[in-house]
Amino acid sequence: QVHAEIEEKIFYPAFREKSDASDADSVFREATEEHHVQHVLIGELNKMQDDDPEFEAKFTVLAENVRHHIEEEESEMLPEAAKMDDDLLATLGSKMKEKKQDMMASMKG
């Protein structure tokens, strides 16, 4: 959930705005929808008992969705992001790291 929020709040909007890719908006929207599906499945899994007959099937669908999402990010989004300005990428990296640290600290407290 931390990873998804960092992408949704920091990386995806910057990619959409700064990428020179002609399909940046489409890639952004698809990635956002894939995250939405993941959030729904995680929410449903959190409400289920581990021994629920549907738990394993739902978890498998989530895992397949995440694998697909990662493959698309690695093949479509990240190569385009690598073409973005180095200073922008460094700034995004710092913001993402800070957000992760903040979120992890709030989870501990």
Side-chain angles (χ1 to χ4, degrees):
Q1 290 175 328
V2 170
H3 176 87
E5 185 165 336
I6 290 168
E7 283 186 337
E8 292 166 11
K9 299 279 184 328
I10 299 170
F11 180 71
Y12 289 172
F15 177 84
R16 182 183 196 188
E17 180 182 336
K18 301 293 184 180
S19 174
D20 291 334
S22 61
D23 63 345
D25 187 65
S26 175
V27 170
F28 164 83
R29 290 180 187 282
E30 185 175 340
T32 301
E33 287 303 317
E34 288 171 346
H35 273 211
H36 171 72
V37 170
Q38 293 166 16
H39 289 303
V40 168
L41 292 172
I42 290 168
E44 291 175 358
L45 285 166
N46 284 336
K47 294 176 185 173
M48 298 173 78
Q49 298 295 319
D50 294 352
D51 60 353
D52 186 306
E54 301 301 318
F55 187 91
E56 187 174 336
K58 193 173 295 287
F59 184 83
T60 298
V61 170
L62 173 62
E64 289 171 355
N65 183 280
V66 169
R67 277 192 292 276
H68 169 79
H69 177 73
I70 291 168
E71 288 172 9
E72 283 192 341
E73 280 188 346
E74 289 177 348
S75 67
E76 296 174 18
M77 190 175 267
L78 295 180
E80 284 301 320
K83 297 176 187 175
M84 294 163 55
D85 179 75
D86 288 343
D87 290 337
L88 172 62
L89 291 174
T91 300
L92 287 174
S94 294
K95 286 181 181 180
M96 292 166 71
K97 181 178 179 181
E98 183 179 328
K99 178 75 170 170
K100 179 181 178 181
Q101 290 170 340
D102 290 348
M103 290 179 72
M104 297 301 286
S106 70
M107 292 172 116
K108 291 179 183 177

